[in-house]
Amino acid sequence: MDSRDRRLYIAVAVCAIVPHVVALWNGFAMDDLYIIVWNPLVYSLSGVGKAFAAPYWPPDLGGQMYRPLPLATYAIDWAIAGGTRHPAWFHAVNLMWHAAVTVVVAALARRWVGFAAGLIAGLLFAVHPVHVEAIANVIGRGELMAALGVCVAVYAAVVKDSIGWSALALGVGLLSKENAVVAPALIAWAWIVGMSRPPRARMLAHVGSWLAIMAGYRSEERRVVEE
């Protein structure tokens, strides 16, 4: 990475944080209470492991979703911040996730179109108001983590042609929020329009890895939410 690209990524990361820094003064609101404040699973570091065997919503509220990675990060935050005495920490972590996604978006545009496109895409993504809810509410972290998983999956498949890293990123995205399932469609679209299209055998290998990841996720989701 040359100094010009480094300055680009620093600039878009700062722009992702600054407009939303007022979220640090937020407390916990609405669904934050059910998922974090009133959820015993996140009260200790043991919740990091337990999150993978528990539904996202507490069982008495339905529990029909499987998003273990956000729950695991809340348990880590709880241990670092001393429970809910310092909600600013939880919000600060959300800002870091948003900055990370913004950098990857800028990197994708930089790679495919050029420096100016990377800067414009990164800045637009950083400040677009559609992201406010995901950043300002702590439980929006699942959206941010899933978005990062999708972007890395696309980058790994289209730019690096890495089957393993793309599948791993897809898995991380799915374990954060189920809408990460769009990643294979985005990669397929990139191949269709001619962005670094790999040989057919490699495409099939990618598809096979995605199907395996999605089948594994679906199987574990069904097992956890039906228990």
Side-chain angles (χ1 to χ4, degrees):
M1 181 190 303
D2 61 29
S3 60
R4 191 176 184 222
D5 285 346
R6 189 177 298 111
R7 289 195 298 270
L8 164 64
Y9 301 141
I10 292 173
V12 298
V14 170
C15 288
I17 293 171
V18 171
H20 300 101
V21 75
V22 293
L24 296 177
W25 285 268
N26 290 352
F28 296 99
M30 300 176 69
D31 293 344
D32 293 344
L33 301 175
Y34 297 99
I35 302 298
I36 302 170
V37 178
W38 300 333
N39 187 359
L41 186 146
V42 306
Y43 291 177
S44 71
L45 282 175
S46 64
V48 174
K50 292 177 181 177
F52 290 86
Y56 181 66
W57 284 94
D60 58 337
L61 294 176
Q64 299 302 307
M65 293 178 180
Y66 185 59
R67 302 172 185 171
L69 283 183
L71 286 177
T73 67
Y74 300 146
I76 295 172
D77 287 349
W78 189 283
I80 293 173
T84 58
R85 291 193 297 274
H86 302 287
W89 172 264
F90 290 79
H91 290 288
V93 173
N94 275 28
L95 292 181
M96 294 301 104
W97 280 105
H98 178 54
V101 181
T102 301
V103 168
V104 178
V105 168
L108 283 167
R110 166 72 179 89
R111 171 77 183 198
W112 288 335
V113 187
F115 182 88
L119 179 61
I120 293 170
L123 292 178
L124 285 175
F125 189 90
V127 302
H128 201 290
V130 75
H131 305 307
V132 169
E133 184 176 358
I135 300 165
N137 295 323
V138 178
I139 64 157
R141 188 178 304 174
E143 293 274 3
L144 303 173
M145 296 174 70
L148 184 61
V150 169
C151 290
V152 173
V154 172
Y155 189 91
V158 179
V159 176
K160 298 298 185 181
D161 188 24
S162 172
I163 295 170
W165 283 110
S166 183
L168 178 62
L170 173 61
V172 168
L174 288 172
L175 291 171
S176 301
K177 192 170 182 179
E178 54 280 353
N179 57 5
V181 73
V182 302
L186 294 175
I187 296 168
W189 174 82
W191 287 340
I192 290 170
V193 299
M195 293 180 178
S196 305
R197 185 183 303 169
R200 181 172 298 179
R202 295 287 295 178
M203 288 188 194
L204 292 175
H206 276 287
V207 172
S209 71
W210 301 331
L211 291 175
I213 290 292
M214 289 189 287
Y217 167 78
R218 182 63 181 132
S219 174
E220 188 65 10
E221 176 192 42
R222 187 180 296 112
R223 183 189 68 80
V224 169
V225 301
E226 290 180 356
E227 281 187 351

